[in-house]
Amino acid sequence: MAKYNYTAQDFKSDQEVRWCPGCGDHAVLSAVQKALPDVSEVLDYARERYVFVSGIGCSSRFPYYVNTYGFHGIHGRAAAIATGVKVANPKLSVWQISGDGDSLAIGGNHFIHAVRRNIDINMLLFNNEIYGLTKGQYSPTTKLGSVTKTSPFGTVEHPFRPGELVIGAQGKFFARTIDVEVKLTSEIMVEAAKHDGTSVVEILQNCVIFNDRTHSNITDKEFRDERVIVLRHGQKMVFGKNSDKGLVLNGLGLKVVTIGQDGYTLDDVLTHDAYEPNPGVHMMLVNMEYPNYPVALGVIRNVKDSTYDDNVRDQVLEVQRHAKITCVDDLLNSGETYDIK
Amino acid sequence: MAKYNYTAQDFKSDQEVRWCPGCGDHAVLSAVQKALPDVSEVLDYARERYVFVSGIGCSSRFPYYVNTYGFHGIHGRAAAIATGVKVANPKLSVWQISGDGDSLAIGGNHFIHAVRRNIDINMLLFNNEIYGLTKGQYSPTTKLGSVTKTSPFGTVEHPFRPGELVIGAQGKFFARTIDVEVKLTSEIMVEAAKHDGTSVVEILQNCVIFNDRTHSNITDKEFRDERVIVLRHGQKMVFGKNSDKGLVLNGLGLKVVTIGQDGYTLDDVLTHDAYEPNPGVHMMLVNMEYPNYPVALGVIRNVKDSTYDDNVRDQVLEVQRHAKITCVDDLLNSGETYDIK
Amino acid sequence: MDKQKAVLELDEVVIRFSGDSGDGMQLTGTLFSDASALFGNGVSTFPDYPSEIRAPQGTIGGVSGFQVHIGNKKVNTPGDYCDVLVAMNPAALRANFKWVKAGGTIVADSDTFNEKGLQRAGFKTDDPITELKLEDYKVVYAPITSLTKESLKDTDLDNKSIVRSKNMFALGMVYFMFDRPLNFTEHYFEVKFKSKPRVIDANKKVLKDGYNYASNIQAIANTYKVPAATSIPKGKYRNVNGNTATAWGFIAASEKANLPLFCGSYPITPATEILVELAKRKDLGVKTLQAEDEIAGICTSIGAAYAGNFAVTSTSGPGLSLKSEAIGLAVMTELPLVIVDVQRGGPSTGLPTKTEQSDLMQALWGRNGECPLVVISANTPSNCFDAAFMASKIALEHMTPVILLTDGFIANGTEPWLIPSMSQYPAIKAPVVPEGTTNYMTYARNEKLARGWAFPGTKGLEHRVGGLEKDFLKGTVSHDPINHEKMVDIRAAKVAKVAEYLPEQEVFGAQEGELLVVGWGGTYGHLLTAVQEMRAEGKDVSLCHISYINPLPRNIVDVFKRFKKIVVCELNLGQLANHLRMEHQQFNYLQFNKYQGLPFTIIELKDKFNQILGGK
Amino acid sequence: MDKQKAVLELDEVVIRFSGDSGDGMQLTGTLFSDASALFGNGVSTFPDYPSEIRAPQGTIGGVSGFQVHIGNKKVNTPGDYCDVLVAMNPAALRANFKWVKAGGTIVADSDTFNEKGLQRAGFKTDDPITELKLEDYKVVYAPITSLTKESLKDTDLDNKSIVRSKNMFALGMVYFMFDRPLNFTEHYFEVKFKSKPRVIDANKKVLKDGYNYASNIQAIANTYKVPAATSIPKGKYRNVNGNTATAWGFIAASEKANLPLFCGSYPITPATEILVELAKRKDLGVKTLQAEDEIAGICTSIGAAYAGNFAVTSTSGPGLSLKSEAIGLAVMTELPLVIVDVQRGGPSTGLPTKTEQSDLMQALWGRNGECPLVVISANTPSNCFDAAFMASKIALEHMTPVILLTDGFIANGTEPWLIPSMSQYPAIKAPVVPEGTTNYMTYARNEKLARGWAFPGTKGLEHRVGGLEKDFLKGTVSHDPINHEKMVDIRAAKVAKVAEYLPEQEVFGAQEGELLVVGWGGTYGHLLTAVQEMRAEGKDVSLCHISYINPLPRNIVDVFKRFKKIVVCELNLGQLANHLRMEHQQFNYLQFNKYQGLPFTIIELKDKFNQILGGK
Ligand SMILES: Cc1ncc(C[n+]2csc(CCOP(=O)(O)OP(=O)(O)O)c2C)c(N)n1
Ligand SMILES: Cc1ncc(C[n+]2csc(CCOP(=O)(O)OP(=O)(O)O)c2C)c(N)n1
Ligand code: SF4
Ligand code: SF4
Ligand SMILES: [Mg+2]
Ligand SMILES: [Mg+2]
């Protein structure tokens, strides 16, 4: 029984979309606009309940293009602004849009603290491994050795793996998708919205101008199926064009096997448990890198825990239940007072 | 053949130590002053090669008390200042002193980025789970539900586990000690100094005034042996007053067993491998919490990798080897120029 | 020493309690001032504590002081110099003797004046009195520690607790000296230690024994009586410090605006207590978020303001620096926000526990671009309530960030406060856009030039804001040159227009004449006292104490032009004076500046004013 | 249209290339200006690009422009209005037509003026010329796209590459119009595409075909010749933009000071290129650290300065806001540090790609406490080299942070630069404390009031610095009130003293008279041109362009008092004027302000000055 009957069109604003032709951001925008009608039905959110908050960067122009409330903040501060929005009005569905520079360079602190607090916002991390808007400097996710405007002889820094950092900051929800996989992205958006707490979605996004094809060795159509694995809770960890490859346990680590070879059967293949609180396996999954492993897409971690905004609300209600002070006059007259006659 | 023959006394400055009587910082200071003579011999560091950099907080007064170079920075920025010192002069032995608030609240971003870059500094994290200097507000490591000045009804935030965050930020060295264990602390300081790259040492430190006994359920003498395990590379993971308890693998996790019970022998007990690059087991070890597990002390992770400062130096040398431009006049006259006659 | 004993009546008296950080001097002073307030005196207090929590016992670095000024009428400052100094150890004497009036009384715990104590405090001889040239002072050496032990030897308190009670013995002595009843303080013990009757009894006993000891010995020459004030308005009072009053002012504004209060903040001396006070008020629905840093503090508040809460953020100078960029965002998005800066000694970390007025220029200009906002200040501890309320009203009604400047002196100082009723305060009406409004233009403005504030969640008002330049009406991004010029102008005009809604500047004293003293912020009590005293002496001096700094009151030029000379007095190098030079260049502004981390003294002010008057 | 064809000689001409972000207009303009410079013209250029990387093709938002001004003598600005506009599509025409001189020439690619193109650009009719009222302009519609395709149809380039070459066709046309030789540009192709001979040939062909096409058609009325300048000093030149010159100025200072250069920075428009330029210079041992944010940028630099490197940090307005707190630390620790702020349109994110001068007050005052430092500015693209050098020299010799203000206009603009020799530059002698010094007092000062700089690693000079107030000599922490007052004074005195070591203020034009135009920073070229032209017209106007803003030059009062009127011209609301009111209240400062994200025009300046002269 659809209540709102929104379509993607309802979430398109009248603003001209200004990303470069071919930029991965277009696909993500469209995936989100496709997902929001579903989110509305599943969670009973009217359109005006959505707020999109961003920092600064190409990706951070996103809120202008979504026909609801939006806040285009300052560089790196999206998580803090989004946190304020959510705590101020917990009924809002808050979506944070942020690039790899915005959320992991200048915004790294707000990022890890939002995740730690488990505030109920959905963070979309557009990871193009470059600063797009400022025209091509390396970011904290740029691969070691990359030549960029500010690293003419190659970078000398180990990049973050966003999923690993999220888990290190006690993250309860982490998913990964790629810009071109609009359907998968939409599906993940709905899952992120449903999760209570901070949902981090890393989007491997292509910047055609300054970092073209940085993800191509896993995203290119011809071998994508062989190099990514889409994880879904409760399903076997299989991948490959013929679904003939799988992940099995190997001591304390994971191993890729071909089903039917070397004695491995489908039964040996791990079943994905996104709900497991212990981060051990999730950590291995987020860290899988090509060529040793397929890169994991889908909802990798999805663990229930108390959220900051719920805790705040509960505490206020609890205190108010026993409150002796109920207005400012009470407050001013509370405690030690005396009369001058 | 001792070269310097320093004693702890050589590292005491003429400044009056101003921490509260009973503060855990005193013991740490003394442990560091005891370790530095050893570091000097092992690594051939003259006293003037040490630089202590801190932020703001009670613990951050540390540099005043060490008789060498020191920089008492601003709140949260110690890691950034220390990074600048090290890159400017890689010959210096740089020690960062910082509280849980200084390094994980306001300084969280510089903390994770220094760790990610693997810059060769030694970070001592004084974790008293409180803001001492500002008189008792909760910090990002304060236990959930704690009543402090700014959480009169208990905190509502999940605390960071520093070791977990370090690993999430690709940390290569993490150790833990407790303030009162001066000998262990000294030993760890020497290891931290020997490690090339960012060495993070978490010190469970008592703030007698604002958070007294926060670590006492593991640090109190009467049961300390039963509740902590001191890890040393290559040694069995055993603990307990009678060294009769050990850690064994249990599926994907760890389990505490009593040696000689339920069929467990010393052979079943894990041997600590601090050098293992894969963070899986280290993650479990840093996350062990009382009462389910003993709390791990000692050097938990100690992995070799290239450091930022070495990479910078190598790159400069490499470029200079082929350089055509060797002075500013060369530079000004390089590229497109033309003559007006 | 004079051995006669009598009860002398005084108009006012200043007492300074000083001892080690662990000696409980803050509590002792507070109890004395509370008792005096309850008794009906005019009271003003100021704590003076070190930036260490507990420096090593017995050292100068660890000395903590608390000064109380009581009078038979309203007193406006904690007093320049004290009549009586209580020194619990040699370090306290050494750190504070220069604050004792010539010939004043010093009560010292003789038990601590042993070799070790003297040496720790840096004395070179065993005769501190001679060493400090205090021979003409009345020094009362009392073995306070041993008498306290003696007093409590029959209780079951442990030794540490017993020794810790010595401050109550000293307080008892002071109560005798000033002829104060003990019952208020006894009542305090009863409430504080409700469940521990033995602790109540012990404290009462020590207090009483101290009182009796003082009455028995011959060393205390006179007892003094400061009669209750008669000129003080009747009514219900409480003592309040500036930080509490600030916090409560915000809560009051939130009630009047009918909007939930949100405070995103990060602790910093001396502003932390505002956050602490707000965190307590979950009963009134206040939401506080202790952020990971100052930037997150203000950014969460900006987010909350966007979402429709009344948002504030509290900090001190270094934190204001960190908030600069985000303040610009609040200016551009034209959201209501109050930023309170409790100023301390700068630059950089500076003197964190000392007072100063050196953030005014930062408040006015510390942001990129042409980025105007409202700057107002608070004058006294209790005035912080009204100042916070007004800051909030302006922010909410004019849709602008407001910086409220207080300082360490009034933030920590206390004074009695005639408790107001909220019915005396005006309503606050923010330009909230009602649901159902059609064609909402995000940057369309009302008569105050304030834009309409639409809350997320409201159907039909969906809109986007941000830090890029805005279209004049629609609020969409605009790179148009002329639009930018218009927006720069209108942002300035909106702030300037606030003056039309503010009270005119008042002058204390004659409305025209020889010398106009101009001040702002926490120097009010000192400037007022100096001007009052000089006027009583027949000098032609008036006071113009400015609360509204940007925009300045609309009649300020009228005020200035009626005086022959203007002297701007500040605890900085002349920041208000410079602001006035920019705004009203036509006047000549003399300056009197002090920047020692300390308030003015009345004496130095009067000297300066007399010199100006004389030098005409 | 006039069908006659002739070669007319002109003194100067302004050409604006405009097209889609992807059309290569920046390159086209640069090639034209390089060719003109090589030819011997005076040249000044200014790129004007959108804040989007590539907005949707054909829209106004995506238009990128590049203006070139060439003359037969030195030209000081890129010109107010252009004589010739090249518009590669309708959006470019629409966005730029208002910058064409009345009756000027417009060259347009007729292939793009189809229905879709016109509509995207927001035209309502199919006749843009009438719609924009350009009937009196000389419009040359040329099918540039199709002719380019035609020209390259026999090459093996793919279609996309072929179409992308159309800018070279247009450039060829312009070369014909201005009688420019092709060989400089051909040489460029040869170097640029060294390993791709076919690409070289293709580019040469398109360029030539464009040239020939223009010479063949009758539409181009005249060709113009701007003779080489004769007044320009002879020597070796290069074109340089402000950001490159700034970076190189720092490297030069590092060489002269014999200290390694360290730059901790974070990218931000329009300052990023300074970091980019420095990152290239590993050959000269420059260390750049792209930090995680601006705060880490400056803090790594402060660490590097403490460790004995010459440290700088680069940013724009919002980044300067973020650095505020750490700048205070540099002031307190008295370490040498240059902070360069490439100003852009504010407040907040504002207009990131546009120019403005609105960070002056922030540079002066944007920090907590009394926190003085040196503020200087650069005037032109090439002057950035000298300004950066001087900022460095002051920082290093006086042990103080220095803020260097440039702006988007000069940072991106280019001009020919007579390459200096480093032998012309003075030595830089920082007060480095030599090993072996005994009794090093961290805050003891030399005649400049600079403290001694001791490098970690040096035996015997171990010391501690930090943000708390420092003891006057020893540099240990001091909470002493009098010491604080002394330190506030000496920090101010140290900065004030810098004036003694700086050149006196010079005046262009008469040294006394009617009207003194006062300016600072990147408006130099425009102010100079306006004053030059008016003086040529016999008007009594002189120019005082201030590079040293704090402290002001020591003779500034002498300069000011020799003129009847002073007008301060700035791209802000009057920040320098206000600074002057604070520093030298005795003068009356008229103001001329513009804040549209654009430079002044000569026309509006002259109008204003004439009006002031007329209105005396
Ligand atoms: C305080 C501040 N510092 C720097 C900038 C400049 N800046 C804008 S966006 C950006 C980085 C963009 O990279 P990312 O966040 O990865 O977003 P993308 O453009 O790649 O989507 C930078 C450095 C700024 N706007 N504000
Ligand atoms: C910019 C800034 N913000 C806030 C402060 C106030 N402040 C000083 S230390 C501190 C926290 C201290 O806690 P921690 O880092 O854990 O150190 P500890 O005192 O516990 O050793 C705070 C909030 C400051 N000095 N500067
Ligand atoms: S520069 Fe890169 S990230 Fe930015 S809009 Fe263009 S393609 Fe996308
Ligand atoms: S307040 Fe706590 S952390 Fe600070 S010095 Fe005292 S005991 Fe140590
Ligand atoms: Mg990016
Ligand atoms: Mg702490």
Side-chain angles (χ1 to χ4, degrees), chain C residues 9-12 39-42 71-73 180 225-230:
Chain C
E9 204 167 293
L10 295 177
D11 288 345
E12 52 177 349
F39 177 76
N41 288 130
N72 65 1
K73 55 180 199 299
R180 281 281 109 108
K225 202 187 177 84
V226 180
T230 49

Side-chain angles (χ1 to χ4, degrees), chain C residues 320-375:
Chain C
L320 188 62
S321 290
L322 288 170
K323 291 176 199 282
S324 316
E325 190 206 6
I327 292 175
L329 179 63
V331 168
M332 184 62 101
T333 51
E334 306 199 28
L335 286 167
L337 176 70
V338 179
I339 303 115
V340 48
D341 171 16
V342 185
Q343 299 167 96
R344 63 189 219 183
S348 194
T349 312
L351 294 170
T353 60
K354 304 293 172 195
T355 200
E356 207 161 271
Q357 296 186 297
S358 50
D359 293 347
L360 176 60
M361 277 297 186
Q362 175 174 227
L364 288 166
W365 297 106
R367 295 164 292 282
N368 60 298
E370 291 291 351
C371 198
L373 46 64
V374 176
V375 178

Side-chain angles (χ1 to χ4, degrees), chain B residues 19 25 56-60 74-77 98-103 106 126-134 137 139 205 207, chain C residues 266-269 272 294 315 318-319 322 344 349 352, chain D residues 325:
Chain B
W19 292 306
D25 293 351
I56 300 281
C58 292
S59 39
S60 287
I74 44 180
H75 194 35
R77 316 305 171 188
S98 181
D100 43 324
D102 196 61
S103 53
I106 189 168
F126 289 61
N127 188 2
N128 55 12
E129 300 182 353
I130 199 83
Y131 293 171
L133 189 69
T134 46
Q137 302 79 33
S139 92
Q205 176 238 326
C207 168
Chain C
Y266 189 76
I268 184 168
T269 305
T272 309
E294 281 84 354
T315 194
L322 288 170
R344 63 189 219 183
T349 312
Chain D
E325 190 206 8

Side-chain angles (χ1 to χ4, degrees), chain A residues 18-20 22-25 58 128 132-133 205-210, chain D residues 53-54:
Chain A
R18 293 190 161 194
W19 292 305
C20 303
C23 174
D25 292 352
C58 293
N128 55 11
L133 188 69
Q205 176 238 326
N206 193 40
C207 168
V208 281
I209 305 293
F210 298 112
Chain D
I53 304 303
R54 298 267 160 90

Side-chain angles (χ1 to χ4, degrees), chain C residues 356 484 489 585 587 595, chain D residues 356 484 489 573 585 587 595:
Chain C
E356 207 161 271
H484 178 50
D489 282 334
Q585 199 188 340
F587 301 103
Y595 30 98
Chain D
E356 206 161 272
H484 178 50
D489 283 335
L573 282 173
Q585 200 188 339
F587 301 104
Y595 30 99

Side-chain angles (χ1 to χ4, degrees), chain C residues 51-52 295 317-318 321-322 324-325 328-329 331-332 346-352 356 358-359 361-362 365-371 467-469 478-479 481-482 484-485 488-489 491-492 572-575 578 581-582 585 587-589 594-598, chain D residues 51-52 295 317-318 321-322 324-325 328-329 331-332 346-352 356 358-359 361-362 365-371 467-469 478-479 481-482 484-485 488-489 491-492 572-575 578 581-582 585 587-589 594-598:
Chain C
S51 56
E52 287 80 23
I295 299 176
S321 290
L322 288 170
S324 316
E325 190 206 6
L329 179 63
V331 168
M332 184 62 101
S348 194
T349 312
L351 294 170
E356 207 161 271
S358 50
D359 293 347
M361 277 297 186
Q362 175 174 227
W365 297 106
R367 295 164 292 282
N368 60 298
E370 291 291 351
C371 198
L468 287 163
E469 184 58 282
S478 166
H479 288 98
I482 300 303
H484 178 50
E485 195 153 77
V488 169
D489 282 334
R491 282 187 290 263
N572 60 34
L573 283 173
Q575 301 192 9
N578 273 334
R581 288 186 185 105
M582 290 189 261
Q585 199 188 340
F587 301 103
N588 185 27
Y589 302 99
K594 178 177 181 176
Y595 30 98
Q596 302 179 358
L598 297 170
Chain D
S51 56
E52 287 79 26
I295 300 176
S321 289
L322 286 169
S324 315
E325 190 206 8
L329 179 63
V331 168
M332 185 61 104
S348 194
T349 311
L351 294 170
E356 206 161 272
S358 50
D359 293 348
M361 277 297 188
Q362 174 173 232
W365 296 106
R367 296 164 292 281
N368 60 298
E370 292 291 352
C371 197
L468 286 162
E469 184 59 283
S478 165
H479 288 97
I482 300 303
H484 178 50
E485 194 153 77
V488 169
D489 283 335
R491 282 187 289 262
N572 60 33
L573 282 173
Q575 300 192 9
N578 272 335
R581 288 186 183 103
M582 290 189 262
Q585 200 188 339
F587 301 104
N588 185 28
Y589 303 99
K594 177 176 181 176
Y595 30 99
Q596 302 181 357
L598 297 171

Side-chain angles (χ1 to χ4, degrees), chain B residues 93-273:
Chain B
S93 173
V94 181
W95 296 70
Q96 179 195 325
I97 307 290
S98 181
D100 43 324
D102 196 61
S103 53
L104 298 183
I106 189 168
N109 208 24
H110 314 307
F111 181 82
I112 57 175
H113 281 271
V115 168
R116 171 176 73 80
R117 291 193 185 105
N118 204 25
I119 175 106
D120 186 20
I121 58 181
N122 309 301
M123 293 187 170
L124 314 193
L125 199 176
F126 289 61
N127 188 2
N128 55 12
E129 300 182 353
I130 199 83
Y131 293 171
L133 189 69
T134 46
K135 305 193 174 169
Q137 302 79 33
Y138 63 93
S139 92
T141 58
T142 302
K143 297 181 183 77
L144 183 65
S146 303
V147 170
T148 72
K149 289 260 180 68
T150 42
S151 59
F153 309 104
T155 59
V156 294
E157 317 192 353
H158 308 272
F160 280 133
R161 289 186 286 216
E164 189 180 26
L165 184 63
V166 166
I167 290 177
Q170 317 235 320
K172 301 296 185 291
F173 184 105
F174 180 77
R176 192 187 282 129
T177 184
I178 53 184
D179 50 9
V180 285
E181 291 274 12
V182 176
K183 235 184 117 253
L184 177 65
T185 306
S186 285
E187 178 189 327
I188 289 176
M189 294 300 150
V190 177
E191 291 306 310
K194 279 159 63 184
H195 173 76
D196 286 331
T198 311
S199 312
V200 179
V201 182
E202 180 190 12
I203 301 154
L204 305 183
Q205 176 238 326
N206 193 39
C207 168
V208 282
I209 305 294
F210 298 112
N211 207 17
D212 199 18
R213 304 184 51 69
T214 184
H215 304 298
S216 65
N217 66 4
I218 57 160
T219 58
D220 273 7
K221 257 249 152 81
E222 59 261 46
F223 38 67
R224 193 187 304 161
D225 290 343
E226 298 297 321
R227 298 185 184 173
V228 307
I229 179 168
V230 179
L231 299 174
R232 288 195 173 85
H233 177 77
Q235 297 190 9
K236 288 281 176 186
M237 300 189 188
V238 292
F239 67 106
K241 211 183 251 140
N242 308 315
S243 300
D244 59 345
K245 296 206 176 112
L247 293 172
V248 301
L249 255 185
N250 179 29
L252 276 171
L254 299 173
K255 197 168 90 170
V256 175
V257 300
T258 305
I259 298 164
Q261 273 182 21
D262 304 325
Y264 286 104
T265 68
L266 189 59
D267 280 353
D268 297 317
V269 174
L270 290 168
T271 299
H272 181 44
D273 181 1

